[in-house]
Amino acid sequence: SVPLLQAARKKNSLNLLELSEAELEEQFVRGDGPGGQATNKTNNCVVLKHIPSGIVVKCHQTRSLEKNRKIAREILQEKVDLFYKGEDSDVFKEKKASEKQKQEKKRRAKENLERKKLFKEMQQLAKE
């Protein structure tokens, strides 16, 4: 039950669909958020649109325009892969596996906490 487009931005995906530059529309805009003058005076935020699917990615993670362009393309490639392959996408499978690990970790932590509480109660009873 992972929303498909939220599963993007995983590093180790191998079999992603290739994007051609002809299918992309790129704009450079002023970023928003914290940063003051460094943000307000430079157009280093990249807005990348994949024309066939209509998917739009906005990237303003760094102050470098080139790095933002590279990151935006990586994110867009993963989102386009998810859009066309759906649940068969490597990105989706990785996200699902990591969520499963996270849930398992939470479950184990909860069990350990219950054991600790039980142990403390047993110690209190032994003292009395």
Side-chain angles (χ1 to χ4, degrees), residues 7-87:
R9 198 65 184 125
K10 286 292 188 185
K11 292 283 182 195
N12 302 328
S13 304
L14 301 174
N15 301 323
L16 297 177
L17 295 173
E18 292 298 318
L19 299 177
S20 78
E21 289 294 320
E23 296 176 333
L24 303 179
E25 186 178 295
E26 189 173 42
Q27 286 182 303
F28 307 109
V29 297
R30 288 195 177 120
D32 54 359
Q37 186 175 4
T39 300
N40 299 335
K41 288 183 98 176
T42 58
N43 289 343
N44 57 5
C45 180
V46 178
V47 178
L48 203 57
K49 180 177 181 179
H50 184 250
I51 297 168
S53 65
I55 296 174
V56 177
V57 171
K58 186 176 181 182
C59 180
H60 187 219
Q61 293 182 9
T62 69
R63 290 174 65 181
S64 165
L65 180 66
E66 289 306 313
K67 285 182 186 174
N68 286 337
R69 289 181 76 200
K70 184 177 185 261
I71 294 168
R73 279 171 171 67
E74 290 171 1
I75 296 170
L76 185 66
Q77 186 177 22
E78 292 173 1
K79 286 193 176 193
V80 167
D81 190 68
L82 277 168
F83 181 78
Y84 287 116
K85 292 183 181 177
E87 292 184 10

Side-chain angles (χ1 to χ4, degrees), residues 99-115:
E99 290 227 347
K100 197 172 186 178
Q101 284 178 340
K102 194 175 182 180
Q103 287 175 350
E104 181 64 23
K105 193 174 179 181
K106 276 185 180 179
R107 186 188 62 76
R108 275 187 263 132
K110 200 173 187 178
E111 283 178 2
N112 284 339
L113 189 64
E114 289 296 323
R115 264 192 236 115

Side-chain angles (χ1 to χ4, degrees), residues 121-128:
E121 287 174 10
M122 298 289 278
Q123 279 184 329
Q124 289 293 329
L125 289 175
K127 284 181 181 177
E128 294 175 354

